[in-house]
Amino acid sequence: MMQLCSRRCDECLFGPNRVVSLVRKRQLIAECRRLDTHFNCHKAPEGAERVCRGFFDELPGVGQLLRIMLRLKGVLTVDPEIGDPTT
């Protein structure tokens, strides 16, 4: 199962309190588009794949693996801080 954050974290790349510059944000988005991949939430534990909610909301359709997993109903929505499934 692929994990998707249920909400944006307090330092989301797509929110007002992001921890990187606007230039870096643009670079990250361009890289995701170029590689057709998703942006992993920076609050995910090391080694864990957890799709950023802001990315999912703002860039629908970007990320080949994410698109495939959505079609296969293989996406589990989880709390961004602790990773527990949400309903």
Side-chain angles (χ1 to χ4, degrees):
M1 292 294 276
M2 185 174 223
Q3 295 184 354
L4 168 65
C5 293
S6 60
R7 59 183 164 74
R8 295 178 186 199
C9 74
D10 58 341
E11 297 175 330
C12 182
L13 179 67
F14 296 88
N17 299 319
R18 67 183 175 274
V19 295
V20 298
S21 69
L22 186 56
V23 170
R24 182 64 181 138
K25 174 186 173 180
R26 289 180 182 147
Q27 290 171 339
L28 290 167
I29 291 170
E31 184 175 347
C32 286
R33 287 182 188 275
R34 184 175 58 79
L35 297 174
D36 198 17
T37 191
H38 65 275
F39 182 73
N40 198 46
C41 177
H42 70 277
K43 292 221 173 169
E46 188 164 336
E49 285 287 320
R50 196 170 292 158
V51 179
C52 168
R53 186 67 203 205
F55 176 89
F56 182 79
D57 292 341
E58 299 290 326
L59 298 168
V62 176
Q64 181 177 349
L65 179 58
L66 180 57
R67 290 191 307 272
I68 291 168
M69 294 305 286
L70 284 167
R71 281 194 302 270
L72 296 175
K73 299 189 185 326
V75 176
L76 179 65
T77 304
V78 298
D79 182 276
E81 305 291 330
I82 57 177
D84 288 346
T86 59
T87 53

